[in-house]
Amino acid sequence: MARLSTSATLLPALGLVMASALAGCSHDAAPLAPATPTDIGVVHLPTSVAPTTDSAGHRIQQIPAPSSRPALTEQRVRGIDYSYLQPVGWSAGERTLDPPPDTLIRPDDADVPAFIAVERPIRIGSSSLAEVVDRLRSGFEGKGFKPMAAPERQIGGYGAMGIVVDQSDEMRHVYYVAAYAEQAFAIRLTYDPSHPESLDVFRAVLDSWSWG
């Protein structure tokens, strides 16, 4: 299968969408009041059912569970205020997206259709992560895409929210957005859903993430 071309992916650049959409957005979401227990002495067992919506109420696109444990090298890929371990069999690639991302890695095997790119951080001030992701979602919708949420997770100890965008049957984009030092960082996997092994590599990269 031919390698995915970064220049052929037609999604709007997250940095541009974020920069324009965050204009006028300068307040944090109101904190939630603590819940008051109403049933003393009743034990609620945890459920194994995956949530169907994220914390902002957007429907989650369930993605395949991990099927492998990708090996990571001891070499760290370093960007602006972050770093992550480079996966075995992946190397820095050409950054032909417009605008160019901060870092980009791709498989050494040209037949594996995937790449991982990190957008240059965008300053968001006091805007909440949910506000940032909602504006990114609106940007994708304005381009005719139908984004869904990805399961929320931690990246380097900070909460991250995700967006899944299917550009075609053979091209899916999974973005995780985290806020660090009043900046938003969008981390993107572009891959063919019929090759879910790249999704496991993406998870391993996010698990190895460090800030600063």
Side-chain angles (χ1 to χ4, degrees):
M1 179 174 293
R3 164 174 284 185
L4 288 177
S5 170
T6 54
S7 60
T9 54
L10 303 178
L11 288 178
L14 285 186
L16 296 179
V17 173
M18 193 180 301
S20 60
L22 285 177
C25 176
S26 61
H27 62 279
D28 292 324
L32 295 176
T36 302
T38 57
D39 50 345
I40 305 301
V42 177
V43 176
H44 293 281
L45 297 177
T47 177
S48 60
V49 178
T52 58
T53 59
D54 66 6
S55 58
H58 298 297
R59 184 181 173 189
I60 289 175
Q61 170 68 60
Q62 298 300 335
I63 51 183
S67 59
S68 63
R69 296 178 61 88
L72 300 173
T73 69
E74 295 183 357
Q75 180 177 347
R76 300 196 72 86
V77 177
R78 299 190 180 276
I80 300 174
D81 283 339
Y82 68 88
S83 68
Y84 56 86
L85 290 176
Q86 180 173 311
V88 171
W90 288 57
S91 302
E94 295 181 4
R95 293 180 286 177
T96 54
L97 298 175
D98 185 21
D102 187 40
T103 60
L104 185 146
I105 60 172
R106 66 188 325 154
D108 297 333
D109 184 350
D111 291 331
V112 178
F115 64 87
I116 297 171
V118 184
E119 299 280 357
R120 294 181 65 84
I122 300 296
R123 186 160 296 280
I124 60 172
S126 60
S127 299
S128 70
L129 180 60
E131 288 174 318
V132 172
V133 175
D134 275 346
R135 282 156 177 79
L136 295 179
R137 178 183 299 276
S138 296
F140 287 119
E141 292 172 341
K143 294 292 184 178
F145 296 102
K146 297 180 179 179
M148 295 185 68
E152 294 179 55
R153 56 162 295 148
Q154 294 275 312
I155 298 179
Y158 286 70
M161 300 180 71
I163 295 177
V164 179
V165 181
D166 286 329
Q167 186 164 330
S168 69
D169 291 340
E170 297 180 347
M171 188 179 295
R172 169 173 286 177
H173 310 272
V174 180
Y175 294 85
Y176 273 102
V177 183
Y180 172 79
E182 296 188 349
Q183 298 179 100
F185 293 77
I187 310 156
R188 162 188 182 179
L189 167 68
T190 293
Y191 76 114
D192 184 336
S194 65
H195 291 262
E197 62 273 13
S198 297
L199 188 59
D200 289 341
V201 174
F202 187 50
R203 291 187 179 103
V205 164
L206 298 180
D207 289 342
S208 72
W209 199 273
S210 293
W211 296 106

